[in-house]
């Protein structure tokens, strides 16, 4: 079985500050990992994904994430937060040799202060 | 390209009543998912269809929830009778296929259900 743990239900940063949202996964087979963003009253949209190859992946809106197998982590970062980044962020995992059904974390709400 | 369409966006019902949600996936997407998102939690898969066949419905409360995907396109999710704990946003998503790229889901805006 696969699972995802997102550390911190809320993260608060100042505009221009570094954004770091934490995600740890559990999977018995090589995982595929994803970050989704959900703006208020909207559906989820894909930010970035890791399947194979380069462990540092870049996504939309300046976000990136690094797959670290030894730490079973896939943290999301952005060098400089913008007010428009305020949203709910979800980490998700599918198992490459399994059912391929995405399992989502509980989400982290990013709050950006002026 | 049109996105995933869902309706209604909002629904308020009394407990023990019934409700139905409709989803139209992106054209050509073979795989369709229904997720339940309770406030403060991540989406939880209820059912996955591949074309018009069910791939996984292990977390669907079958005593009250049902879903169908006729002709492998549109899908309907029904709750009868509703309970207070069914209050949630019901998200429909679709993907081109099912396999290594399954994680790239395209979501609708969701249907928010309030059960009083």
């Amino acid at each position: 079985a696969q699972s995802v743990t997102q550390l911190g239900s809320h993260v608060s940063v100042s505009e221009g500050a570094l954004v770091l949202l934490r995600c740890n996964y559990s999977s018995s087979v090589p995982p595929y990992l994803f970050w989704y963003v959900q703006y208020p009253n909207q559906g989820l949209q894909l930010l970035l994904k890791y399947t194979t190859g380069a462990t540092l992946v870049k996504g939309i809106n300046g976000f990136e994430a690094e797959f670290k197998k030894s730490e079973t982590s896939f943290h999301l970062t952005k060098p400089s937060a913008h007010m428009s980044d305020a949203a709910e962020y979800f980490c998700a995992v599918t198992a490459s040799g399994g059912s391929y059904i995405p399992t989502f974390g509980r989400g982290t709400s990013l709050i950006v202060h002026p | 390209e049109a996105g995933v369409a869902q309706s209604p966006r909002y629904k308020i019902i009394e407990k023990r009543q019934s409700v139905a949600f409709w989803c139209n996936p992106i054209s050509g997407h073979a795989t369709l998912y229904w997720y339940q998102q309770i406030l403060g939690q991540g989406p939880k898969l209820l059912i996955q269809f591949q074309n018009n066949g069910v791939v996984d419905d292990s977390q669907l409360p079958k005593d009250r929830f049902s879903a169908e995907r006729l002709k492998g396109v549109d899908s309907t999710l029904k709750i009868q009778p509703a309970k207070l704990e069914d209050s949630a946003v019901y998200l429909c998503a679709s993907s081109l296929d099912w396999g290594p790229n399954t994680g790239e889901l395209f979501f609708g805006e969701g249907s928010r259900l309030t059960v009083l």
Side-chain angles (χ1 to χ4, degrees):
Chain A
Q2 62 213 30
S3 65
V4 164
T5 302
Q6 291 186 240
L7 301 176
S9 58
H10 294 84
V11 170
S12 181
V13 300
S14 298
E15 191 172 21
L18 171 72
V19 174
L20 171 60
L21 305 182
R22 300 178 186 274
C23 171
N24 288 90
Y25 69 89
S26 173
S27 176
S28 57
V29 297
Y32 295 152
L33 295 157
F34 308 83
W35 277 99
Y36 285 82
V37 60
Q38 185 178 33
Y39 298 103
N41 297 315
Q42 294 186 27
L44 284 70
Q45 57 182 275
L46 184 69
L47 266 181
L48 51 78
K49 65 178 180 180
Y50 167 79
T51 53
T52 59
T55 56
L56 181 64
V57 293
K58 296 183 184 300
I60 61 173
N61 301 336
F63 284 93
E64 62 182 37
E66 186 171 11
F67 169 61
K68 292 187 177 181
K69 183 178 178 181
S70 61
E71 299 177 9
T72 61
S73 69
F74 190 59
H75 301 332
L76 181 70
T77 61
K78 181 174 181 178
S80 177
H82 192 273
M83 295 296 289
S84 60
D85 294 327
E88 193 82 15
Y89 292 80
F90 294 93
C91 184
V93 61
T94 67
S96 63
S99 65
Y100 297 115
I101 296 174
T103 300
F104 287 82
R106 295 176 64 91
T108 298
S109 178
L110 177 64
I111 302 161
V112 182
H113 297 288
Chain B
E1 178 183 80
V4 176
Q6 290 189 247
S7 68
R9 287 294 312 277
Y10 305 92
K11 189 73 176 180
I12 301 173
I13 61 173
E14 305 257 337
K15 59 183 178 183
R16 291 188 290 275
Q17 286 186 323
S18 64
V19 63
F21 301 112
W22 172 83
C23 173
N24 181 241
I26 292 174
S27 178
H29 279 197
T31 313
L32 185 146
Y33 312 78
W34 283 102
Y35 281 87
Q36 180 191 56
Q37 186 178 20
I38 293 173
L39 187 64
Q41 299 182 21
K44 184 187 85 171
L45 181 74
L46 292 175
I47 189 168
Q48 177 192 353
F49 293 95
Q50 178 73 1
N51 296 309
N52 60 351
V54 175
V55 174
D56 189 312
D57 63 356
S58 58
Q59 297 191 81
L60 187 74
K62 297 180 185 62
D63 58 333
R64 299 183 299 106
F65 285 64
S66 65
E68 59 182 9
R69 189 182 185 196
L70 299 176
K71 301 180 181 178
V73 182
D74 293 6
S75 178
T76 302
L77 175 71
K78 296 180 181 178
I79 308 174
Q80 181 179 13
K83 292 185 174 181
L84 296 177
E85 58 261 36
D86 298 332
S87 294
V89 176
Y90 291 86
L91 296 168
C92 179
S94 68
S95 62
L96 188 60
D97 207 337
W98 177 45
N101 284 319
T102 295
E104 193 157 6
L105 271 56
F106 296 83
F107 284 84
E109 293 182 319
S111 294
R112 182 179 297 276
L113 173 65
T114 302
V115 182
L116 302 176

